[in-house]
Amino acid sequence: MATLTTEWLDMLPLFGATKINFADSYLMQEEAPNLIAYALPAVFILALIEFLMSHFGAHKTYEKEETIGSLLVGIGNLAVNVLMKVVLIYGAIWIYNLLPWRMELNWWTLIPCFIIYDCCSYWSHRISHFNRFFWATHVVHHSAEHYNLTVAFRQSWVQHFKTVFFIPVALMGFHPVIFLVASQLSTLYQFWVHTEAIGKLPPFFEKYFGTPSNHRVHHGSQEKYLDKNFGATFMIWDHLFGTFQYEEEKPIYGLTTPIENKSNPFVLNFHEYRDMLKDVQQSDGLRECLFFIFASPGKIYRHKLKRDQQVRVTKESHIKTTAIVLVILLVLTQVVDAQPLKNIEPLPIPNGKNLLFFLQRTPDANTVVYELNYREDGQLDPKAPVKGSWIRYEEQGRLKPLTSIEQKFAYGVKSKALGNEAYEIRLAAYQKMPMYLIRSETDQKYHIYIKDEGRNHLLKRVFVKVKGGSFWFPKVVYIDLITTNSETGIEMLKRIDL
């Protein structure tokens, strides 16, 4: 018991280290060896040797465009790391100073720090394969269809988003120098496993350590190899959490959907963000929007495949907006038989000398009105001649401007001057459908017109019959479009049943 107590007392000086002054951070940078900078010459020499072996040998593992892409991505990553180094160091110091159990700078603490860091690396890597937001920071590493040492250079320019997964290591109280050295050692270890020049190692190493063989599995695109072998240095985590797979048949490298541009580093780094934005714009609500951002790439692929099979050939692609506006604007693009105006749902009728047209629906009486937008000097604003706003009848008729999101994606309008005091007006949600703001020769006032079979129709009111659903994504029964024929003056009702 006395011996055990003595050992614990000997360890006490390890904790409660002095806080690090931010002004002295440059001294810490001198204490932390830049292992990656020291290793760069050896890294490039080994990659060159492998390239020459491929070029002059029978086994071709290099392809020109991919190699250029790998080198450019690697150079960009080095530049980003230089810019982020100070931020990461200051962040590590800040967390270190918050902790009462700060450890002194003792090099033996590198062992537990490295093991814990490797465990966090496993989870960072695994989550990056099952969460699209983080997959976008990792996909560049998997885009190569040839497996060689330059694939290790393919580190995303935005991979620092994944720093969040390593905060638990910093919270353990390791000295920032130890933390940074562990990070560098992990990065360097993973370089040599990206090669086909080394076959399988003895069983013990293949089972418990990261090797070229089991990392080739990780880069394979076959079904049995997908989402396997996430470990960096130690494979024990894959055995514990059921993601280990030995190399059997030769892996087929690359993504399940290959990238055509193999050398442009910007495409390689950001193509997934481009695809993500496109999916978000075509999403059918907040839930699907979040799904496209945070679900696993595999689930998203299957979801899109199922959705595309269900979409009718004649249905135009949706963009992200409210279902009301989408349906209304689709109606405007169709040829619908007109009939004399009949009784429709009794709703409040807004008025005003600047009113152009308005939009209503049941069971909600709140109305979006579109009016002429005059400047303070009394002149029509040529840059924005039409403005939209709410009349909140269910809130004592309170007037309310459109939110920025409503203006940008749903009820807002964009305009273009056509000359002769005429303007082309397009709703933000569906800019393919033009409307025209024209001064009438009859009353010398501005009106909004739509074209139908070559004739101008004065747009006065849009009514949407809703039954069920939610506010933003209602179940629309039919749409009524109330217009006036500019030649006959007869009010007409155009209806489409949905």
Side-chain angles (χ1 to χ4, degrees):
M1 178 65 72
T3 303
L4 183 61
T5 303
T6 302
E7 291 178 354
W8 278 106
L9 290 174
D10 290 340
M11 291 185 65
L12 286 178
L14 175 65
F15 299 97
T18 304
K19 293 184 178 181
I20 299 174
N21 193 321
F22 283 102
D24 297 330
S25 61
Y26 71 95
L27 296 175
M28 194 190 75
Q29 295 183 49
E30 295 178 355
E31 292 177 332
N34 195 337
L35 300 180
I36 292 180
Y38 299 153
L40 277 180
V43 165
F44 284 116
I45 290 173
L46 290 172
L48 178 61
I49 292 173
E50 186 189 46
F51 171 77
L52 294 174
M53 290 172 59
S54 170
H55 182 72
F56 293 105
H59 186 52
K60 305 298 182 183
T61 58
Y62 279 79
E63 192 273 331
K64 180 181 177 181
E65 294 297 317
E66 276 192 4
T67 303
I68 293 174
S70 296
L71 292 174
L72 292 177
V73 169
I75 292 171
N77 181 61
L78 289 175
V80 171
N81 287 341
V82 170
L83 296 175
M84 290 295 299
K85 182 178 180 181
V86 175
V87 176
L88 295 176
I89 289 176
Y90 273 84
I93 294 175
W94 181 73
I95 294 176
Y96 182 75
N97 288 343
L98 289 176
L99 305 174
W101 53 84
R102 296 180 298 274
M103 297 186 198
E104 295 284 357
L105 178 56
N106 285 295
W107 288 106
W108 68 264
T109 60
L110 179 61
I111 298 174
C113 181
F114 185 80
I115 294 173
I116 297 172
Y117 186 95
D118 196 67
C119 181
C120 291
S121 179
Y122 169 86
W123 284 108
S124 169
H125 197 175
R126 180 169 177 172
I127 292 173
S128 295
H129 279 249
F130 289 93
N131 182 296
R132 191 184 192 182
F133 178 80
F134 291 106
W135 171 247
T137 72
H138 183 59
V139 63
V140 60
H141 186 65
H142 282 265
S143 58
E145 297 175 21
H146 297 77
Y147 195 72
N148 53 63
L149 291 174
T150 65
V151 174
F153 301 162
R154 288 176 172 247
Q155 302 299 322
S156 173
W157 297 352
V158 290
Q159 65 175 334
H160 293 94
F161 284 139
K162 293 184 289 188
T163 303
V164 64
F165 295 107
F166 299 93
I167 291 178
V169 185
L171 292 176
M172 298 295 291
F174 294 107
H175 193 278
V177 170
I178 297 297
F179 177 81
L180 295 173
V181 169
S183 174
Q184 292 182 76
L185 287 174
S186 179
T187 300
L188 288 174
Y189 183 90
Q190 294 174 73
F191 167 72
W192 76 283
V193 300
H194 294 89
T195 184
E196 289 188 331
I198 300 175
K200 289 190 176 182
L201 299 179
F204 176 81
F205 292 99
E206 289 294 342
K207 185 173 183 179
Y208 296 113
F209 290 90
T211 66
S213 175
N214 54 44
H215 200 66
R216 287 193 291 267
V217 167
H218 178 72
H219 278 259
S221 61
Q222 294 101 308
E223 184 68 27
K224 68 187 300 182
Y225 289 163
L226 289 177
D227 302 325
K228 300 294 184 182
N229 297 0
F230 297 108
T233 301
F234 304 112
M235 303 306 293
I236 184 66
W237 319 116
D238 288 285
H239 289 288
L240 286 174
F241 302 114
T243 55
F244 185 80
Q245 170 66 48
Y246 282 111
E247 183 181 28
E248 295 173 356
E249 66 267 18
K250 177 179 171 58
I252 300 172
Y253 305 111
L255 303 174
T256 53
T257 304
I259 302 175
E260 293 183 5
N261 193 323
K262 302 179 185 299
S263 60
N264 188 320
F266 294 96
V267 173
L268 294 174
N269 271 283
F270 302 114
H271 75 274
E272 186 67 23
Y273 290 103
R274 176 198 62 200
D275 295 342
M276 188 189 303
L277 178 61
K278 182 180 178 181
D279 289 338
V280 166
Q281 289 176 330
Q282 295 179 349
S283 64
D284 291 330
L286 179 61
R287 183 175 181 179
E288 190 176 47
C289 175
L290 295 176
F291 174 83
F292 281 135
I293 297 174
F294 297 108
S296 74
K299 287 184 178 180
I300 291 172
Y301 174 79
R302 290 189 291 272
H303 173 81
K304 290 168 64 177
L305 188 63
K306 180 180 179 181
R307 182 193 64 182
D308 292 344
Q309 290 173 344
Q310 295 174 343
V311 173
R312 292 175 299 175
V313 176
T314 57
K315 184 177 180 181
E316 295 190 42
S317 298
H318 285 75
I319 64 172
K320 186 185 176 185
T321 183
T322 62
I324 300 173
V325 176
L326 281 175
V327 175
I328 293 169
L329 295 172
L330 287 173
V331 170
L332 296 179
T333 65
Q334 300 181 45
V335 177
V336 187
D337 292 334
Q339 53 183 303
L341 184 61
K342 299 179 180 179
N343 292 331
I344 59 175
E345 297 283 345
L347 288 171
I349 304 298
N351 53 56
K353 65 178 182 178
N354 295 327
L355 180 66
L356 294 169
F357 70 99
F358 57 95
L359 182 153
Q360 294 177 318
R361 69 178 188 177
T362 57
D364 183 357
N366 293 329
T367 301
V368 180
V369 294
Y370 294 90
E371 302 173 295
L372 293 170
N373 184 28
Y374 286 102
R375 301 182 306 200
E376 293 181 358
D377 61 5
Q379 298 298 314
L380 190 67
D381 188 342
K383 295 183 179 179
V386 178
K387 65 177 180 180
S389 58
W390 286 101
I391 299 181
R392 311 291 291 186
Y393 287 112
E394 298 185 352
E395 300 173 20
Q396 292 75 50
R398 183 168 66 93
L399 296 176
K400 182 181 178 182
L402 298 178
T403 67
S404 58
I405 293 178
E406 289 169 338
Q407 289 177 348
K408 185 174 182 180
F409 293 109
Y411 303 112
V413 295
K414 297 185 178 181
S415 61
K416 181 176 70 174
L418 300 177
N420 296 324
E421 298 184 297
Y423 300 87
E424 180 184 273
I425 306 297
R426 296 177 185 263
L427 283 111
Y430 192 73
Q431 297 183 38
K432 294 181 180 180
M433 177 64 202
M435 299 179 292
Y436 300 96
L437 179 64
I438 303 173
R439 187 188 294 272
S440 171
E441 296 180 357
T442 304
D443 58 10
Q444 294 300 307
K445 294 181 180 180
Y446 279 105
H447 301 283
I448 285 284
Y449 297 92
I450 61 172
K451 290 187 178 296
D452 185 10
E453 297 181 348
R455 298 186 179 92
N456 284 337
H457 287 260
L458 174 64
L459 179 62
K460 298 181 65 177
R461 179 185 180 190
V462 177
F463 170 74
V464 184
K465 178 63 177 180
V466 176
K467 187 176 182 180
S470 63
F471 176 81
W472 289 106
F473 301 99
K475 182 179 180 181
V476 179
V477 181
Y478 61 81
I479 300 293
D480 281 343
L481 186 65
I482 296 88
T483 65
T484 300
N485 188 297
S486 59
E487 297 178 359
T488 64
I490 300 175
E491 286 193 335
M492 306 297 292
L493 169 66
K494 295 185 177 183
R495 172 171 291 182
I496 182 170
D497 295 314
L498 301 175

